[in-house]
């Protein structure tokens, strides 16, 4: 087909018709996440509370690394608007980015791997028609989401958040991140040969830029302009005198530049052909460790597992460096000494609360790693690969237990490496924590991670096609952990979070009965999931 965009409109209508329910759910979910928080930050409207939050979120470099910076240097100006802008912009942009990456990879590289794109090309369809239709859908989606997000925040008429221009800046700077990372995923889809590799490399870049911005935000904020992820908050919505649309312009400019490069790469290769970095050739004879089903699973997932383990360790090193910055902040800040009785009490209280926040968020990231590993079972099943293996003397118990144990052991090792990285990095501090203190406070969150995997195993057994709903629960856990203290949410909603029942060491005492109950419940859910998996038919497609 000489016209590369021929019948783009037809494919665009097909995409909308096929995905309309997902798109509506996506829009409503993001509105519920980002906009609903605007009316729930009543606690921050109190001047005394806002002054305390200023000390904790603006002056504390550890919290700046987690939430992002703000140009405000006076606690009297740290009102509800700047608080919302600082705490919500980065996490909302990241959420948009993660969903866009998953969606674009599934609709581009994955469909090419499954032969769907080749089937489309057998008709009168231009070479770039499918990609262009996907980009049009993604751009339209984020523009609609930005408009609705701005209007929904404005409609709540919350003092400090009722300026339409600021609402639009917040909405467009976060939505632009979603479109940008969709284009990153599209570009990597042309370069790499498989959907899993494409997704892994895109998320790897996102994680790397997140770690880099944690360092630059504390050292020199102006360096952040060289980091596309930092553009999500450098527009500084709701901060009078500092709001600017340059970050939004740069985000869309880079996104369309990446789109242009993707077009060039796609035009130069045939559909179904491996990317510009193909997989290396396999061995003629496998290693002894690869024999058997567990060896096969580990061999297939080893790259992702090694990548996540290295990333966890590096992230631990980065977070560990914040303990030293936090000690300096505690010793040099007079306001902190006024909030707490004595410098030692201040150090203990702030460090303890920071450890709870840090370790809980870290465990949610580790839980995402486990979810990806465990959902491989149903993805292989849908591709008819397990059906071929079941023709051999292979039991369902072995398949189920192999994927489950791989996920559980991997998350345990990842959490340990992250905590070990924290321990190593903070050893040089004056008030360095012991290895046992860090491990005891951090490893306890694995109880919640195992519970999440137990819920997923239950879904895989009873409703495998709805297994991706676990991501909704993970997002809910992240929101409750990340912003739960700022949002005045009802008690029953807080009780839905498994993290609400985990002993928050070292701030709280160990609650062994809670831990044992959650572990026993997790085992029961896993057994129920296996019982359902053993009886149900295999799914395809």
């Amino acid at each position: 087909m000489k016209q590369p965009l021929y019948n783009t409109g037809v494919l665009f209508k097909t995409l909308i018709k096929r995905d309309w329910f997902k798109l509506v759910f996506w829009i409503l979910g993001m509105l519920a996440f980002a906009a609903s928080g605007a009316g729930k930050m009543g606690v921050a409207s109190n001047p005394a509370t806002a002054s305390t939050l200023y000390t904790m979120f603006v002056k504390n470099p550890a919290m700046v690394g987690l939430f992002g910076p703000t140009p405000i240097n006076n606690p009297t100006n740290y009102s509800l608007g700047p608080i919302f802008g600082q705490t919500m912009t980065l996490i909302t942009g990241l959420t948009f980015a993660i969903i866009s990456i998953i969606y674009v990879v599934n609709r581009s590289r994955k469909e090419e791997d499954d032969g769907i794109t080749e089937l489309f090309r057998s008709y009168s369809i231009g070479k770039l028609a499918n990609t262009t239709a996907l980009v049009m859908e993604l751009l339209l989606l984020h523009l609609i989401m930005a408009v609705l997000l701005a209007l929904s925040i404005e409609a709540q008429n919350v003092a400090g958040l009722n300026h339409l221009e600021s609402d639009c800046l917040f909405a467009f700077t976060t939505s632009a991140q979603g479109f940008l990372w969709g284009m990153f995923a599209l570009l990597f889809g042309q370069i790499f040969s498989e959907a899993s590799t494409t997704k892994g490399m895109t998320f790897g870049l996102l994680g790397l830029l997140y770690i880099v911005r944690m360092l630059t935000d504390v050292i020199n904020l102006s360096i952040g302009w060289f980091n596309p992820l930092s553009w999500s908050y450098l527009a500084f919505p709701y901060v009078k005198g500092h709001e600017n649309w340059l970050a939004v312009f740069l985000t869309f400019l880079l996104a369309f530049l990446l789109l242009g490069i993707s077009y060039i790469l796609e035009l130069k290769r045939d559909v179904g052909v491996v990317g510009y970095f193909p997989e290396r050739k396999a061995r003629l004879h496998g290693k002894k460790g690869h024999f058997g089903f567990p060896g096969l699973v580990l061999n297939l997932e080893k790259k992702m597992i090694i990548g996540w383990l290295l990333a966890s360790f590096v992230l631990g090193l980065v977070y560990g460096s914040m303990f030293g910055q936090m000690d300096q902040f505690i010793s040099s800040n007079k306001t902190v000494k006024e909030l707490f009785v004595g410098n030692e009490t201040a150090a203990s209280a702030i460090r303890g609360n920071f450890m709870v926040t840090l370790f809980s968020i870290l465990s949610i990231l580790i839980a995402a790693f486990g979810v990806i590993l465990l959902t491989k079972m149903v993805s292989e099943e849908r591709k008819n690969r397990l059906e071929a293996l079941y023709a051999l003397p292979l039991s369902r118990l072995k398949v189920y237990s192999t994927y489950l144990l791989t996920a559980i052991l991997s998350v345990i090792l990842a959490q340990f490496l992250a905590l070990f990285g924290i321990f190593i990095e903070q050893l040089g501090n004056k008030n360095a924590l012991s290895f046992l203190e860090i491990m005891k406070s951090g490893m306890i969150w694995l109880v919640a991670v195992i519970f999440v995997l137990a819920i997923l195993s239950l879904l895989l057994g009873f409703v495998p096609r709805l297994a991706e709903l676990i991501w909704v629960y993970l997002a809910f856990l992240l929101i409750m952990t990340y912003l739960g203290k700022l949002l005045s949410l009802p008690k029953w909603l807080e009780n839905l979070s498994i993290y609400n029942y985990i002993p928050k060491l070292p701030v709280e005492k160990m609650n062994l009965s809670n831990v044992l109950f959650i572990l026993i419940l997790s085992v029961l859910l896993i057994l129920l999931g296996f019982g359902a998996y053993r009886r149900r038919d295999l799914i395809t497609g």
Side-chain angles (χ1 to χ4, degrees):
M1 180 63 64
K2 293 182 179 181
Q3 300 178 27
L5 300 178
Y6 186 72
N7 268 337
T8 298
V10 174
L11 284 178
F12 175 71
K13 292 177 182 178
T14 303
L15 276 176
I16 296 295
K17 186 177 180 180
R18 181 175 61 172
D19 296 336
W20 70 269
F21 181 77
K22 289 183 179 179
L23 299 179
V24 171
F25 181 78
W26 186 352
I27 292 173
L28 294 178
M30 287 307 302
L31 289 177
F33 165 56
S36 62
K40 296 292 184 180
M41 286 191 170
V43 65
S45 60
N46 187 320
T49 306
S51 178
T52 303
L53 291 175
Y54 175 82
T55 303
M56 299 304 298
F57 286 96
V58 180
K59 292 300 183 180
N60 188 349
M63 288 301 182
V64 170
L66 285 176
F67 290 89
T70 179
I72 290 179
N73 51 24
N74 190 330
T76 58
N77 296 329
Y78 197 58
S79 57
L80 181 58
I83 292 172
F84 181 81
Q86 183 188 9
T87 56
M88 287 296 295
T89 305
L90 177 61
I91 186 64
T92 305
L94 282 172
T95 307
F96 273 111
I98 291 170
I99 297 175
S100 293
I101 290 170
I102 295 172
Y103 183 74
V104 170
V105 172
N106 288 345
R107 284 288 173 262
S108 56
R109 183 73 246 185
K110 186 175 182 297
E111 289 194 348
E112 187 171 341
D113 293 345
D114 295 341
I116 297 175
T117 304
E118 189 173 6
L119 181 63
F120 275 120
R121 294 277 184 89
S122 64
Y123 296 94
S124 299
I125 298 294
K127 197 168 187 178
L128 299 178
N130 191 57
T131 298
T132 306
L134 176 61
V135 172
M136 289 169 57
E137 181 188 39
L138 195 69
L139 179 60
L140 178 63
L141 173 69
H142 283 91
L143 291 177
I144 292 174
M145 222 158 6
V147 172
L148 291 179
L149 181 56
L151 292 177
S152 61
I153 296 175
E154 177 71 17
Q156 296 180 62
N157 197 28
V158 178
L161 301 176
N162 52 359
H163 302 288
L164 184 59
E165 183 179 352
S166 298
D167 295 334
C168 288
L169 181 58
F170 170 79
F172 276 91
T173 192
T174 50
S175 296
Q177 282 292 316
F179 184 68
L180 171 64
W181 285 96
M183 296 305 99
F184 269 117
L186 193 67
L187 174 62
F188 286 156
Q190 303 302 325
I191 296 174
F192 298 103
S193 59
E194 289 183 347
S196 59
T197 307
T198 300
K199 200 176 293 184
M201 293 302 297
T202 313
F203 279 125
L205 178 62
L206 179 63
L208 176 63
L209 293 183
Y210 180 82
I211 292 173
V212 169
R213 61 141 291 274
M214 289 174 66
L215 300 174
T216 57
D217 286 352
V218 176
I219 298 171
N220 188 346
L221 185 59
S222 60
I223 302 177
W225 284 104
F226 296 96
N227 186 340
L229 184 59
S230 297
W231 298 343
S232 61
Y233 51 79
L234 288 179
F236 296 126
Y238 305 107
V239 182
K240 292 182 180 180
H242 294 275
E243 292 180 317
N244 70 83
W245 287 82
L246 177 61
V248 180
F249 172 76
L250 290 175
T251 305
F252 278 110
L253 181 64
L254 178 58
F256 283 109
L257 178 63
L258 295 174
L259 175 61
I261 298 173
S262 300
Y263 275 162
I264 294 172
L265 295 178
E266 187 171 6
L267 285 172
K268 291 185 176 182
R269 72 176 182 88
D270 294 329
V271 65
V273 177
V274 293
Y276 289 87
F277 291 117
E279 297 288 328
R280 65 180 179 86
K281 292 183 178 180
R283 296 170 174 267
L284 290 176
H285 303 286
K287 296 180 180 179
K288 288 184 178 180
H290 295 168
F291 294 136
F293 187 72
L296 174 63
V297 172
L298 286 175
N299 187 45
L300 290 174
E301 308 303 335
K302 64 181 180 182
K303 290 182 181 178
M304 184 181 69
I305 292 175
I306 292 172
W308 270 89
L309 294 179
L310 288 174
S312 299
F313 181 70
V314 172
L315 191 60
L317 292 175
V318 174
Y319 280 138
S321 66
M322 292 182 178
F323 280 87
Q325 298 167 358
M326 190 167 52
D327 286 341
Q328 295 176 8
F329 157 72
I330 293 169
S331 60
S332 62
N333 196 293
K334 294 181 180 180
T335 307
V336 171
K337 296 179 181 179
E338 293 174 359
L339 289 173
F340 300 93
V341 182
N343 188 47
E344 193 61 37
T345 306
S348 177
I350 294 178
R351 191 183 295 112
N353 281 282
F354 175 68
M355 288 169 67
V356 170
T357 303
L358 173 61
F359 293 158
S360 56
I361 292 176
L362 189 63
S363 69
I364 293 176
L365 298 177
I366 300 297
F369 170 41
V371 166
I372 293 172
L373 280 175
L374 190 51
T375 50
K376 285 288 183 179
M377 183 176 78
V378 76
S379 65
E380 295 294 325
E381 183 180 345
R382 299 181 74 160
K383 294 175 182 177
N384 296 325
R385 291 171 181 168
L386 287 185
E387 187 175 7
L389 289 174
Y390 279 133
L392 303 172
L394 179 67
S395 68
R396 292 203 178 194
L397 174 61
K398 191 166 188 176
V399 172
Y400 185 85
S401 60
T402 297
Y403 277 105
L404 183 63
L405 289 175
T406 300
I408 291 176
L409 294 176
S410 296
V411 297
I412 291 174
L413 185 55
Q415 184 82 348
F416 173 81
L417 288 175
L419 296 174
F420 187 63
I422 292 174
F423 169 72
I424 291 176
E425 185 61 32
Q426 59 90 52
L427 272 179
N429 298 340
K430 183 179 179 181
N431 299 313
L433 297 167
S434 68
F435 180 77
L436 185 60
E437 283 179 304
I438 290 178
M439 288 298 163
K440 187 169 66 174
S441 302
M443 295 299 280
I444 191 67
W445 296 100
L446 282 172
V447 176
V449 176
I450 292 173
F451 180 79
V452 170
L453 295 179
I455 294 177
L456 177 56
S457 65
L458 191 69
L459 292 173
L460 294 176
F462 283 94
V463 281
R465 294 187 186 277
L466 299 179
E468 291 186 358
L469 287 176
I470 195 64
W471 291 107
V472 177
Y473 187 61
L474 265 183
F476 168 74
L477 293 178
L478 181 61
I479 295 169
M480 297 301 297
T481 304
Y482 198 85
L483 298 169
K485 293 181 180 179
L486 287 177
L487 304 178
S488 303
L489 298 173
K491 190 66 177 178
W492 65 267
L493 193 60
E494 293 181 6
N495 291 337
L496 293 178
S497 171
I498 188 62
Y499 279 64
N500 199 41
Y501 304 96
I502 302 298
K504 296 170 180 59
L505 306 177
V507 177
E508 299 176 356
K509 292 183 179 180
M510 181 63 176
N511 190 332
L512 192 59
S513 59
N514 269 17
V515 172
L516 289 175
F517 178 79
I518 294 171
L519 289 175
I520 292 172
L521 181 60
S522 300
V523 172
L524 291 175
L525 293 177
I526 289 171
L527 293 176
L528 285 173
F530 170 67
Y533 177 69
R534 186 178 59 179
R535 291 190 302 269
R536 72 169 173 83
D537 294 331
L538 296 178
I539 61 171
T540 57

